[in-house]
Amino acid sequence: MLKPQANPTRELVSLDGIWNFAVASSPNIETEQAWTKSISAKLQVPVPASYNDIFVDKAIRDHVGWVYYQRKVTIPRGWSASERYFLRLDAATHHGRVYINDHFLVEHIGGYTPFEAEITHLLAPGEQFRLTIAVSNELSWDTIPPGRIEELPNGKRKQHYQHDFFNYSGLARSVYLYSVPNVFINDITISTDLLAGGVGVVDFQIDTNQPVENERIKISLTDEDGNVVAKSTGQNNRIEIDSAHLWQPGAAYLYQFNAEILSDGDAKILDSYELSVGVRSVKVQGNQFLINNKPFYFTGFGKHEDTPIRGKGFDPAYMIHDFHLMDWMGANSFRTSHYPYAEEVLDYADRHGIVVINETAAVGLNLGIVAGVFGFKAPPTFSPESINERTQASHAQGIRELIARDKNHASVVLWTIANEPASSEQGAREYMEPLVTLTRELDPTRPVCFTNMGHATVEKDLISDLFDVLCLNRYYGWYSQSGDLDAAEQALEKDLLGWQEKYGKPIIMTEYGADTQSGLHAVCDVPWSEEYQSRFLEMFHRVFDRVDCVTGEHVWTFADFHCTSTMFRVDGNKKGIFTRDRRPKSAAQVLRRRWREQNRAAQ
Ligand code: BDP
C-alpha cells in the first residue's frame, strides 16, 4: 500500500489540524447518528494525537467506546474529472468509521495501519463536505491486541487487556485527501539482494488500477548524485547495478526508484510515483544474522510511541530527537514494540541507516502472565472463549496490512509477528503456524520471529522451531531473583545456553530491563535505584558476551512510558533508559560506553 505523495501527477492535502470532538452517548452509534449533524466546537482536538490526555476530564480519558472527530473539508477546485480522489487515514485506533456528510464511507479495524477509500463519485471539485470520523477504542477477543470489556455494577464499562501500556486512542496519525490520475499506480513491491562481485539487485513489481501494456510502464533508478544508473520497463522486472552502493546499517544509501505510466501514442506522463530504495540483503545463516553478507549485531531498544500529552500521537520533533538520542548512545537498531509505528519513523530509519525489527500489534496473547503474578491459575489462552479463530483472523489481517505497508523499507530486516504469546500452552502451535506460513508467503525475503517470554522455557516452548531467529524477553534480576544479580546471572546463562544448544539459531535479547526511578540512588543492589539498573544491564552484557548465539541486545525500554495504573506501575513503566521527557538515567552511560566501543571495534 503506497503512502500518498505529492508529485507532478498527484496532489496531497493534509487534513491535520484542529477538529471538533465529542464522546458518543452510547456504545451503539447508530442510535444517535452524530455524523448527520454538526458537532459543536466546544471540545476540539489536535490531529494527530491520542485524545486521552488532551482534556482535563477523567470521563474522556477513560472512556470506553466511540468518539467523534469532525471538520469541514473542501475538494480542491482545481481537481478535475480526469482525476480520482481518496481519503486516507494513517491510523484510527482501534476502529474507525468514516462518514462523508450523512453517508457512511468506509470502516477499518486495527489501530496501527492505514486505510483509505475513494470519494470521487461522491463529491465534485470545489465542493465542501462534513467529514466525521468515529473512532472506537474497544478491544475484544476478536481484535489485535485482544482485550475484554467488563460491565460494572455502576453501569460503567471497563476495558481490560493483557498488555501494560495505556490504551491510547483516537487519530494519532495524519489524515489526508489525495488525488491520482485516472490511470494510476496502485502499488509497488521492491525487493533487493546482493550478488557476487557487488552486483545489487532490485526486483520490482508495479500494480496499476487497470491493465497497462508493459512498454508504457517506465522505470528509472537514480543515485544520490542525481545520475540515472538504470532504466527498465514493464510490470515486473529486475534491475542489476554493478558495484551497487549498498544500504548499510549506520551508512544509509538510497536510490530513487521512479515509476511512470505513459499515455498510448504521445508518451505523455500520466502517473508517476517515486520510492526511496536501499539496496541490501538480509539472511540468517547458522547462528548469524547477516546484512549484506556480514554478521550484524543488534544494539538498541524496544520502544513505544509514547510522549506526554499527545500519547501515541505522531510528533516529528520527538521522533527526530529519539533518533538522535539513539545515535548518541551508539544504538544501531530498535523494535517497533508492540505495534506498527507511523510510516514516517520507517522513512527516517531508511534515510539514516537504522535497522528495524518490525512488529504487529499482537501483544497480550497470553492469559498466564498476569495470573501468574497474582498467583491464581490462569484460564487457557487459546480457547473458543478467549484467543480463538476470530482473533487469529484479525491477527492474519494485521500481518497482511503490516507487510503491505512496510515491505519496501530497507531498514526493516525482521518481522515479529507476536510479542510474548502463550507459546508453551496447548493450541499455540495450531494458532501460530498458519501465521508464520502467511508471513513467509507475503514476504519471502525477510526472516520471521516472535518474542518469547521467560515462562515458556526452552523445554516447554512449542513453536520456536517455526521461526528463523530466537527473540527472548528476559527479566532475571527483576521479576525473578529480584535484587540478587549473582543468582540472576547464573539463571540467565543457563537459559541462553539451553536455547543455543537446542536450536543453534541467532538469539536476540529483545527485552531486558529493570524499573528505575530517576534520581533514586543506592550503594547496594537496591531495585529501582539508578545503580541497580546499571548493574543489571552489565550483568546481562557479561552473559551475552559468553554465549555465541547472542546476536543482539535490545534494552527494555528506550523511555519510561505511560501505563494503565496498577500496583506494579507507579506512574507508568519506569524501565526507560530515558525518562518520559527524555532525560538520561545513569544507565545510559553503561550502554553508551558498550555500544560505542562495539561500533569502534566493528569499523
Ligand atoms: C514484557 C512485555 C512489555 C512489558 C515488560 C515489562 O513485553 O510490554 O512492558 O514486560 O514488564 O513482558 O516491563
Side-chain angles (χ1 to χ4, degrees), residues 164 338 419-420 473 475 479 511 556 561 569 573 575:
D164 67 347
H338 294 306
N419 183 67
E420 300 190 344
N473 295 352
Y475 288 92
Y479 291 118
E511 287 184 25
W556 191 254
F561 61 90
R569 297 284 186 259
N573 186 313
K575 297 190 184 72

Side-chain angles (χ1 to χ4, degrees), residues 272-445:
S272 63
Y273 194 92
E274 191 163 74
L275 261 184
S276 298
V277 170
V279 178
R280 55 104 184 96
S281 69
V282 175
K283 241 176 258 131
V284 170
Q285 196 174 285
N287 64 7
Q288 294 187 320
F289 195 98
L290 305 178
I291 299 182
N292 299 331
N293 300 326
K294 288 199 214 112
F296 179 71
Y297 189 93
F298 296 76
T299 56
F301 302 93
K303 285 192 92 236
H304 262 298
E305 291 188 311
D306 174 90
T307 60
I309 302 170
R310 42 185 104 43
K312 297 207 172 304
F314 174 69
D315 182 310
Y318 263 99
M319 176 188 80
I320 294 184
H321 187 59
D322 282 4
F323 275 114
H324 278 276
L325 289 176
M326 283 195 274
D327 184 54
W328 175 76
M329 305 278 298
N332 60 22
S333 55
F334 69 98
R335 175 168 64 114
T336 71
S337 38
H338 294 306
Y339 36 81
Y341 288 5
E343 272 179 275
E344 290 87 339
V345 177
L346 298 175
D347 288 340
Y348 191 96
D350 286 349
R351 181 59 278 170
H352 295 270
I354 322 290
V355 172
V356 180
I357 302 180
N358 205 349
E359 186 157 296
T360 66
V363 54
L365 279 64
N366 196 328
L367 303 189
I369 299 183
V370 179
V373 174
F374 285 102
F376 58 80
K377 191 169 163 359
T381 296
F382 303 100
S383 81
E385 294 75 44
S386 44
I387 304 296
N388 58 41
E389 68 223 5
R390 289 190 306 282
T391 332
Q392 192 191 36
S394 301
H395 195 159
Q397 185 59 14
I399 293 172
R400 278 186 210 104
E401 292 184 15
L402 173 68
I403 296 179
R405 195 194 71 166
D406 293 346
K407 62 190 171 186
N408 295 328
H409 287 283
S411 56
V412 175
V413 300
L414 178 60
W415 303 113
T416 330
I417 63 167
N419 183 67
E420 300 190 344
S423 58
S424 59
E425 280 190 41
Q426 231 186 12
R429 200 169 174 93
E430 292 73 6
Y431 180 93
M432 293 294 280
E433 193 166 11
L435 299 177
V436 181
T437 307
L438 173 71
T439 311
R440 293 194 193 286
E441 272 166 22
L442 294 169
D443 181 7
T445 72

Side-chain angles (χ1 to χ4, degrees), residues 25 28 128 132-133 142 187 216 219 253 403 437 552 562 574:
S25 58
N28 179 0
Q128 193 173 69
T132 311
I133 303 175
D142 295 357
D187 199 11
R216 286 174 54 208
I219 307 297
Y253 190 90
I403 296 179
T437 307
H562 190 58
K574 293 282 169 65

